[in-house]
Amino acid sequence: MNDTIRSSRLTGTELVVETREGIKVYDSRFLVAALLIFVARGSGKIEPEESAEMISLIEQHFRIQGAESLDLLTRAITEMAEDPELAGELAKLGQGLAEGEKEDIAVMALKVIAADGRREFAEMQQFNTALEAIGATPEIVHRAFDRYFAETMPGS
């Protein structure tokens, strides 16, 4: 099923997309899941450690149960695969996020990249592409790296 997007609009903190199949609504939870998946797929596949990290991060960040976090990630994988145009529309939703939210997303993405013990160039490219798409400034990215290292360095 390829849902060609006919129109979309931002309604508060939600993205409303009209497709041939009907109207779908996406929120910041879906956006975060989609961005983390996009970054994790930078290396070509999502490693088990990355999957586990994404589930945990979403669970903690949105204060939801693990099963709900997994469902959200599964939905994002499925819908992004079915409708490649959706990524561009989601970027519009991301651009409306507050700086702090963009920074939180960047920190989560860095943790996903590091989850499998390898930091691959392709994943860092995806990281940069994702953050650029949601309008994260270099200052936001710098703060995210500072936070990531403060949270993950031994003795911190």
Side-chain angles (χ1 to χ4, degrees), residues 40 43 45-50 109-121 123-124 148:
S43 62
K45 68 177 188 169
I46 299 174
E47 299 295 335
E49 300 89 352
E50 293 169 331
L110 290 169
K111 289 179 178 180
V112 169
I113 290 168
D116 63 0
R118 296 183 306 268
R119 198 177 52 224
E120 297 190 28
F121 179 73
E123 288 176 329
M124 291 307 296
Y148 170 77

Side-chain angles (χ1 to χ4, degrees), residues 41-62:
R41 279 194 170 152
S43 62
K45 68 177 188 169
I46 299 174
E47 299 295 335
E49 300 89 352
E50 293 169 331
S51 295
E53 185 69 13
M54 287 189 288
I55 291 167
S56 175
L57 288 168
I58 289 173
E59 182 179 347
Q60 292 169 19
H61 186 74
F62 293 113

